[in-house]
Amino acid sequence: MTPDLPPVAPSVTAELVEALSPRLRKRLDAGVTKLVARPAVREGDTVRIAVDDETDVVLHAPGGTVTGADAIRCGCLLAPDCLHRAAAASAAPVADEAPPPSPAPAEAAEAREGTEPVPGTGPAAQPDRTGPAETETATAEQRAAARTVRDAAAAVLEAGADGAGAVLQAGLLHAAHTARLAGLPRASAAAVSVVTGVRAARSADPGYRLADLAGALADVLGVAHRLPHATGPDLTELRGTARQPYRPDGSLRLYGLFSEPVLTATGYAGAVTWTADADGRLYTVSDVAPGGPARATGAADRAVRIGDTALTHRELSRAGLAVSGATVSPTGRLGAGAGVRAVRASGAAWHDEPLDRLWAVPAAEQVARALSGGQDLLFLEVTLTGTVRETTGDCLLADCAGLPLRLATAHDDPSLPHRDNLRLLAAARGSRLRIVARLVPEPLPRALLLAVEHPTDPAARVDLGLDRLRHADLPAGAVAPPAEAAPTADEVPLHLLRRRVHQAVSGGRRVLASAGSVSGDAVRLRRLGLATAGDLLDDLHAAAADRSRDAFGRLLPADTDHFARAWLAAAVYTDAVERALCAGGWGAATTGTPSSEPSSATLARG
């Protein structure tokens, strides 16, 4: 996948791949690899790829997105059913597909507020839970669409990211399109996230995380599994919403907190600026659109798109904003409609009111809020104590009110200054600083570092994804200590099950089917009180190895649904226990956190 190409709607990719002959489908992955290596030239709304000296593939993207199969043209003799058009669509980022048109003018007006994805922005307000009656069930069309999504996602899991080529990806994109048409935007978005993660894995994208892909697969399989049986509010949640509904919120007086760059595997980039009102409620202002690293680093110096203000994102993160006629989404995102007015106002330092109250909330209470579905930003006061070496790189060690905390980089892309800034901060050992971080739900207290109080100027702050620290910014004589070695094992050996869950996502069924004996792992899990984990590990390997043969000894097609259900039970269990361990590690109490180990029977029913 290459961000040099415009995003392509899922239905377009599915249509072009489906039109290929069986012979060309076998060559599609090689065609994608070849096409990605060719230069792409952008001219306005058109992107041209030179396949060879005589043949070009042209993608026409009015508005920045390819929305129809006829918008991808090729000059080769086999066109229109050629390999090149399907390869171009398969190599491009996946676009957000517009929902079916609604006849209600009010809903159309809400949709025009903006629909760019804003990764990492946790909800700052609870969504409206108004929903159908308790007895309402999914329609026959929705149940069929959910089965289509489940089967396509199970096929991807069966092959693993290593084996899920463009044909399997197109099958899941077709299922995503079917789900959206059936009124299931959550299942559709989850399916697209899986395709995006698979493409990132296969292209060695530096932003790829195996845990993220595993989470996306668990989400899409879980939604598709539960939706046919859901009723009432549960059905509303599983259906999801296609657009964020913006609602009037009157006049707002906002104070800038920090800005962070956005750079996603789906080909979107830009910046998000976080602000807070006098009561500590968080609001975001975003500028996210198709693009790459250059847009992520440059968006901070673009004017925010609210009213007539000329403030840039970088300036707003230190200043304030007075807004009238404000419209706000359930996640706290400010709309930019025609009736919104905004002017610059004075800002506030992190140690001054009203921002100071954000850091007055105990860390355990903030973590409990995040694990219960609230916004995932943490406002902490820490003392830097050193660095620790991990497989993904060094991270900072800090003391947070007596709690050992690990602070990792929020993004590893070399075009962003996250990692360079973290290396410099390691030299400020002993400094007591206020930080803004994003919670990582792991057994050991861990967060992604987003912004930090300036090491020598308490009135200033540093946005670690946009600003670059210099050695002169550090306390006099600051020297980075040597990194310590990270512990080699978890206190609770949940990693024995998590490792197999992740191995299946990466290598598919065959990795678990050919793995050596795991009886020792299951015995260890049971000996330490994780009997359900041991049972799930046994069930997962049994499902992977379950291959029947016909009367002639030939292997029959694998039962992908059986393997997917066993994997989903293990993934759901692992996530639930990890969240409980995370809450325990921070000393937080959360609603919905299991007080005891859930049984395998409970997981099977869920």
Side-chain angles (χ1 to χ4, degrees), residues 171-349:
L172 189 50
L173 291 178
H174 174 76
H177 179 64
T178 301
R180 184 168 288 274
L181 292 180
L184 303 176
R186 179 177 172 183
S188 176
V192 169
S193 295
V194 170
V195 174
T196 298
V198 168
R199 290 183 178 181
R202 293 172 63 85
S203 63
D205 189 312
Y208 166 70
R209 292 291 181 272
L210 178 57
D212 294 340
L213 178 55
L217 261 171
D219 188 27
V220 69
L221 287 170
V223 170
H225 174 71
R226 294 168 53 201
L227 190 138
H229 315 288
T231 60
D234 287 341
L235 178 60
T236 301
E237 179 187 357
L238 292 172
R239 281 173 174 165
T241 54
R243 302 289 188 183
Q244 289 188 354
Y246 285 79
R247 295 182 174 83
D249 204 10
S251 298
L252 298 173
R253 176 65 170 89
L254 303 177
Y255 300 84
L257 274 168
F258 74 100
S259 291
E260 62 173 323
V262 173
L263 183 59
T264 76
T266 59
Y268 286 88
V272 174
T273 297
W274 290 80
T275 66
D277 65 10
D279 296 325
R281 184 184 178 192
L282 301 182
Y283 298 82
T284 59
V285 182
S286 64
D287 180 2
V288 180
R295 195 178 197 286
T297 55
D301 295 314
R302 296 165 60 98
V304 298
R305 297 186 298 174
I306 294 184
D308 298 325
T309 178
L311 278 172
T312 66
H313 284 269
R314 194 185 301 273
E315 292 170 337
L316 176 58
S317 67
R318 273 80 170 171
L321 203 64
V323 186
S324 62
T327 58
V328 184
S329 78
T331 60
R333 182 181 172 198
L334 291 172
V340 180
R341 298 289 182 268
V343 296
R344 180 173 185 155
S346 59

Side-chain angles (χ1 to χ4, degrees), residues 354-447:
L355 299 184
D356 179 68
R357 68 184 59 186
L358 294 171
W359 278 266
V361 180
E365 186 177 329
Q366 296 185 51
V367 171
R369 176 185 60 202
L371 293 176
S372 299
Q375 60 88 7
D376 58 357
L377 291 187
L378 303 179
F379 301 89
L380 307 173
E381 195 158 340
V382 304
T383 299
L384 302 182
T385 59
T387 57
V388 63
R389 182 174 297 109
E390 298 181 337
T391 55
T392 56
D394 293 351
C395 68
L396 287 176
L397 293 176
D399 177 88
C400 179
L403 184 72
L405 172 63
R406 298 187 184 194
L407 299 171
T409 57
H411 208 296
D412 285 331
D413 193 284
S415 63
L416 302 177
H418 285 290
R419 189 157 296 283
D420 292 340
N421 286 334
L422 186 139
R423 291 193 186 101
L424 275 175
L425 282 174
R429 184 175 184 176
S431 297
R432 185 168 181 80
L433 305 171
R434 286 191 168 184
I435 66 170
V436 181
R438 179 165 288 120
L439 175 67
V440 178
E442 292 185 354
L444 296 175
R446 184 182 184 89

